[in-house]
């Protein structure tokens, strides 16, 4: 059943649940109406009986009642007069109301004598003694009426004559003593008949009302759901690659706005996949997909192939660019290195000349430092052209990081009053060249130190996450924009005044050779975080 309901359409589910709600509310309303009407009918009849009891008690002669009670047996004029009055009352009032007068004196401890009644059925059943034996409910109310000297209404009870609700009204003598009880019975079967008629009437009324509500509901839901059905058909068409579908929107309601947005989406998808087809022709991409796939799935597969080919072309262009830079660097470095060596040698000879002044010696020292910087730049260029001939070994990352932090701590403190914090406790191993890993870490750590011009803290951490080794270098320097981060590692791009960008470019290349990658997060004015991620070889 649950599976059947779950597989129903949205319209059928809405109709089903709304119908169930209407029926549930109707049944509740029917039950409440029945109980209210039942209670009102009972209260109305009981109130009528109370009024009649007061009316009969006031219209009867107390002297006649006392005389009838005293006579016990036999016929006297007063008793005949009372019976005549009761017959007149029966003729003037509904048949479901019956009355009688009973003595308060118990007969054999639990019965009472009926001295006056016009009910032929009671006379035939109780004659000649006319002793009535009521149940517990009757005598409980009887005793209460006698003691409290006021009208008492019993709850519904049964006896040999039927089902009743009785009003017991005490009749007192001149001294205030209760000498008899006037009983006015309501035939409870009349209430039951009324209840049955009421139930039938309510069921018919609510059935007609439910039918009307369900018809109106079905009509309204179909009007309401028709735009939703059109939207579903449109989505199915788009999923099959039919992007020229257009939905109608008759108004500015929520569904109308959805139709408008859907049309805009379909139009943009059509433009997108037209561009994909054009790009596919330009790149001469051949695809061989299953014919069972629908339009949009096939188009997405084509888009993925185009993106993969574009990525491969970018990688190829980058490799060709790196190769060209490397060859150019090797050629230029070979031609420049020898003259620079000669110049540096003569400058060192001049530096040993005691006849030169301090100013001249400072100039020579400055020239030698600049020659050293030029040699470092040439070394970086040669690193791009140098093939990877190193034999990869297992590297203890904890030892590398600890030694570099010890080496740079004094330099960082003297440079810009920078403190280096180390968070590395567990030994972790990666595969590669230790010298190349040291070169990469040294380059990134020095860049972080130089980025903190007003001092700060350089944090170096070693962690293992998801089976990979993470070496994290975080500075509190000037930071970078997202555009600057994206350009990191490209040739001749540097954020330093005298930088060439070759050092970071070589670092990216060395990390890739170790099957790793570099991730950079940076916020301008707050600092940067470089994370080197390698496969773990523990």
């Amino acid at each position: 059943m649950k599976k059947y309901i779950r597989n129903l359409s949205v319209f059928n589910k809405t109709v089903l649940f709304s119908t169930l709600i209407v029926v549930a509310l109707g049944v509740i309303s029917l039950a409440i109406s029945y109980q209210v009407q039942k209670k009102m009918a009972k209260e109305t009849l009981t109130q009528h009986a109370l009024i009649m009891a007061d009316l009969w008690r006031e219209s009867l002669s107390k002297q006649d009642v006392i005389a009838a009670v005293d006579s016990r047996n036999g016929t006297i004029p007063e008793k005949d007069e009372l019976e005549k009055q009761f017959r007149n009352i029966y003729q003037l009032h509904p048949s479901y109301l019956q009355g009688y007068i009973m003595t308060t004196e118990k007969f054999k401890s639990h019965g009472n004598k009926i001295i006056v009644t016009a009910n032929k059925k009671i006379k035939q059943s109780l004659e000649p003694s006319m002793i009535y034996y009521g149940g517990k409910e009757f005598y409980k109310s009887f005793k209460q009426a006698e003691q409290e000297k006021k009208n008492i209404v019993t709850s519904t009870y049964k006896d040999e004559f039927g089902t009743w609700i009785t009003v017991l009204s005490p009749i007192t003598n001149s001294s205030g003593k209760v000498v008899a009880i006037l009983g006015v019975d309501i035939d409870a079967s009349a209430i039951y008949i009324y209840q049955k008629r009421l139930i039938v009437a309510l069921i018919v009324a609510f059935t007609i009302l439910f039918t009307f509500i369900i018809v109106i509901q079905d009509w309204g839901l179909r009007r309401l759901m028709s735009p939703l059905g059109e939207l579903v058909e449109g989505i199915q068409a788009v999923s099959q690659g039919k992007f020229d579908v257009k939905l109608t929107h008759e108004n500015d309601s929520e569904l109308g706005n959805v139709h408008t947005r859907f049309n805009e989406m379909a139009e943009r998808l059509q433009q997108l996949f037209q561009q994909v087809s054009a790009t596919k022709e330009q790149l001469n991409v051949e695809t061989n997909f299953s014919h069972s796939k629908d339009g949009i799935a096939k188009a997405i597969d084509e888009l993925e192939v185009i993106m993969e080919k574009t990525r491969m072309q970018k990688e190829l262009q980058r490799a060709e660019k790196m190769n060209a830079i490397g060859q150019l660097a090797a050629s230029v470095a070979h031609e420049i290195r020898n003259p620079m060596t000669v110049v540096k040698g003569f400058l060192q000879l001049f530096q040993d000349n005691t006849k030169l002044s301090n100013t001249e010696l400072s100039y020579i020292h400055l020239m030698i430092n600049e020659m050293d910087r030029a040699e470092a730049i040439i070394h970086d260029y040669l690193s791009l052209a140098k093939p990877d001939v190193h034999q990869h070994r297992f590297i203890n990352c904890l030892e590398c990081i600890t030694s570099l932090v010890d080496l740079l701590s004094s330099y960082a403190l003297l440079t810009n009053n920078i403190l280096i914090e180390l968070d590395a406790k567990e030994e972790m191993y990666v595969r590669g060249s230790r010298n190349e890993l040291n070169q990469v870490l040294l380059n990134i750590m020095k860049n972080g130190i130089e980025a903190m011009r007003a001092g700060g803290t350089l944090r170096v951490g070693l962690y293992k996450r998801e089976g990979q080794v993470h070496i994290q270098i975080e500075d509190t320097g000037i930071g970078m924009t997202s555009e600057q981060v994206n350009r990191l590692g490209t040739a001749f791009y540097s954020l330093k005044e005298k930088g060439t960008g070759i050092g970071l470019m070589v670092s990216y290349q060395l990390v890739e050779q170790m099957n790793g990658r570099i991730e950079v997060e940076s916020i301008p004015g707050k600092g940067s975080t470089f994370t080197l991620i390698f496969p773990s070889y523990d």
Side-chain angles (χ1 to χ4, degrees):
M1 185 64 179
K2 290 183 179 179
K3 185 177 180 181
Y4 172 76
I5 295 176
R6 193 182 300 114
N7 293 331
L8 289 175
S9 64
V10 175
F11 173 78
N12 290 332
K13 284 181 180 177
T14 305
V15 171
L16 175 62
F17 288 117
S18 59
T19 302
L20 290 176
I21 291 172
V22 170
V23 171
L25 291 176
V27 171
I28 294 172
S29 301
L30 181 64
I32 294 174
S33 299
Y34 172 74
Q35 293 297 331
V36 170
Q37 292 292 337
K38 175 182 175 183
K39 184 178 179 181
M40 289 179 62
K42 186 175 180 181
E43 289 179 352
T44 301
L45 291 176
T46 302
Q47 190 66 31
H48 188 192
L50 285 168
I51 294 173
M52 294 308 301
D54 290 337
L55 179 62
W56 290 0
R57 187 184 60 195
E58 295 299 326
S59 62
L60 295 174
S61 172
K62 288 185 179 182
Q63 288 77 10
D64 292 345
V65 172
I66 293 171
V69 171
D70 292 338
S71 69
R72 302 299 177 102
N73 297 316
T75 302
I76 61 172
E78 291 86 353
K79 189 174 181 180
D80 293 337
E81 182 64 26
L82 289 174
E83 289 183 354
K84 182 179 178 181
Q85 292 183 18
F86 269 75
R87 284 194 296 271
N88 293 334
I89 291 172
Y90 278 141
Q91 293 174 359
L92 296 174
H93 293 90
S95 60
Y96 58 79
L97 286 178
Q98 301 184 26
Y100 50 84
I101 297 176
M102 301 177 67
T103 62
T104 57
E105 184 179 351
K106 294 291 187 294
F107 180 81
K108 294 184 180 179
S109 301
H110 61 285
N112 291 83
K113 184 179 180 62
I114 297 177
I115 58 174
V116 177
T117 181
N119 192 315
K120 295 180 179 180
K121 184 177 180 181
I122 294 177
K123 282 186 174 183
Q124 291 174 358
S125 178
L126 298 181
E127 283 183 344
S129 65
M130 294 298 290
I131 303 299
Y132 173 73
Y133 299 97
K136 292 182 180 180
E137 179 64 33
F138 177 84
Y139 278 113
K140 178 182 177 182
S141 300
F142 188 96
K143 185 176 181 181
Q144 185 179 358
E146 182 181 1
Q147 292 176 349
E148 297 180 7
K149 299 180 182 180
K150 66 178 183 180
N151 293 344
I152 299 297
V153 181
T154 67
S155 58
T156 304
Y157 67 95
K158 290 184 178 181
D159 62 10
E160 57 185 304
F161 303 107
T163 304
W164 312 94
I165 298 173
T166 302
V167 176
L168 298 171
S169 180
I171 299 174
T172 60
N173 57 18
S174 58
S175 62
K177 180 182 177 181
V178 177
V179 295
I181 297 293
L182 171 64
V184 179
D185 290 337
I186 303 172
D187 190 353
S189 61
I191 299 178
Y192 296 149
I193 294 172
Y194 171 79
Q195 290 173 353
K196 291 179 181 179
R197 293 176 180 174
L198 176 63
I199 290 174
V200 172
L202 288 174
I203 290 175
V204 171
F206 276 97
T207 301
I208 296 173
L209 180 61
F210 290 163
T211 304
F212 178 74
I213 291 174
I214 290 173
V215 170
I216 295 298
Q217 170 189 270
D218 183 74
W219 174 81
L221 286 175
R222 289 186 184 277
R223 288 290 303 271
L224 179 65
M225 291 296 180
S226 59
L228 186 59
E230 186 180 0
L231 178 63
V232 172
E233 293 176 358
I235 292 173
Q236 292 176 346
V238 169
S239 67
Q240 296 172 359
K242 301 175 183 178
F243 302 116
D244 57 346
V245 61
K246 294 292 182 183
L247 304 182
T248 58
H249 47 282
E250 301 177 352
N251 50 51
D252 294 331
S253 65
E254 292 83 355
L255 286 175
N257 292 332
V258 170
H259 281 199
T260 302
R261 299 294 179 268
F262 178 86
N263 292 337
E264 293 175 356
M265 179 196 69
E267 184 177 355
R268 291 177 183 177
L269 283 174
Q270 186 176 19
Q271 296 174 357
L272 173 63
F273 287 107
Q274 286 176 352
Q275 294 175 357
V276 169
S277 299
T279 305
K280 174 182 154 185
E281 293 177 359
Q282 291 176 1
L283 296 177
N284 195 22
V285 176
E286 295 183 1
T287 55
N288 185 20
F289 300 120
S290 172
H291 295 290
S292 62
K293 289 189 175 182
D294 55 32
I296 193 167
K298 188 175 180 181
I300 290 175
D301 289 340
E302 291 179 351
L303 183 60
E304 290 178 351
V305 172
I306 292 172
M307 292 174 64
E308 180 64 21
K309 186 166 184 178
T310 303
R311 187 187 65 80
M312 292 176 63
Q313 287 182 348
K314 287 184 178 180
E315 290 292 331
L316 182 61
Q317 291 174 357
R318 179 177 175 275
E320 292 176 351
K321 184 177 181 181
M322 294 289 293
N323 185 39
I325 292 174
Q327 292 178 0
L328 177 63
S331 176
V332 172
H334 179 74
E335 297 297 331
I336 295 177
R337 211 169 196 179
N338 290 335
M340 287 181 59
T341 303
V342 174
V343 172
K344 183 177 179 181
F346 280 110
L347 288 174
Q348 290 174 340
L349 290 175
F350 286 139
Q351 191 176 20
D352 294 335
N353 190 346
T354 58
K355 295 180 179 181
L356 297 177
S357 64
N358 292 334
T359 303
E360 293 171 337
L361 288 174
S362 65
Y363 291 157
I364 293 173
H365 181 69
L366 180 60
M367 286 187 287
I368 292 174
N369 288 339
E370 291 299 313
M371 293 296 290
D372 290 337
R373 194 169 73 86
E375 285 184 351
I377 294 174
I378 292 172
H379 180 270
D380 289 339
Y381 274 101
L382 288 175
S383 298
L384 296 174
K386 181 175 60 177
D388 184 20
V389 296
H390 299 287
Q391 184 178 3
H392 285 188
R393 301 178 182 274
F394 292 111
I395 308 169
N396 189 333
C397 297
L398 181 62
E399 291 181 358
C400 289
I401 294 175
T402 304
S403 60
L404 285 175
V405 168
D406 293 340
L407 177 65
L408 291 175
S409 292
S410 300
Y411 167 75
L413 192 61
L414 294 173
T415 302
N416 290 324
N417 194 26
I418 295 171
L419 178 65
I420 301 180
E421 294 182 356
L422 177 62
D423 183 14
K425 299 177 182 178
E426 182 182 353
E427 291 186 348
M428 300 179 193
Y429 293 87
V430 298
R431 190 173 178 82
S433 170
R434 178 168 183 142
N435 291 333
E436 291 179 353
L437 181 60
N438 285 339
Q439 180 182 349
V440 173
L441 293 175
L442 184 63
N443 191 7
I444 296 176
M445 292 170 69
K446 286 186 65 177
N447 286 345
I449 292 172
E450 293 172 1
M452 293 183 285
R453 300 167 185 171
T457 303
L458 184 72
R459 298 180 180 88
V460 182
L462 178 63
Y463 315 102
K464 180 177 287 186
R465 295 171 182 167
E466 298 180 356
Q468 294 179 319
V469 175
H470 289 232
I471 302 175
Q472 195 173 77
I473 302 170
E474 180 182 359
D475 64 64
T476 56
I478 59 175
M480 295 175 286
T481 63
S482 58
E483 182 182 357
Q484 292 171 334
V485 170
N486 292 333
R487 294 186 62 185
L488 291 178
T490 58
F492 311 116
Y493 180 74
S494 175
L495 297 175
K496 294 187 290 186
E497 294 180 357
K498 297 182 180 181
T500 61
I502 299 300
L504 200 54
M505 185 177 181
V506 171
S507 298
Y508 272 80
Q509 185 179 16
L510 295 178
V511 171
E512 289 178 0
Q513 291 174 1
M514 296 173 63
N515 296 323
R517 68 182 188 274
I518 300 177
E519 295 182 355
V520 183
E521 296 179 359
S522 186
I523 300 176
K526 293 187 177 180
S528 305
T529 301
F530 284 74
T531 305
L532 284 64
I533 303 174
F534 301 99
S536 176
Y537 290 93
D538 291 350

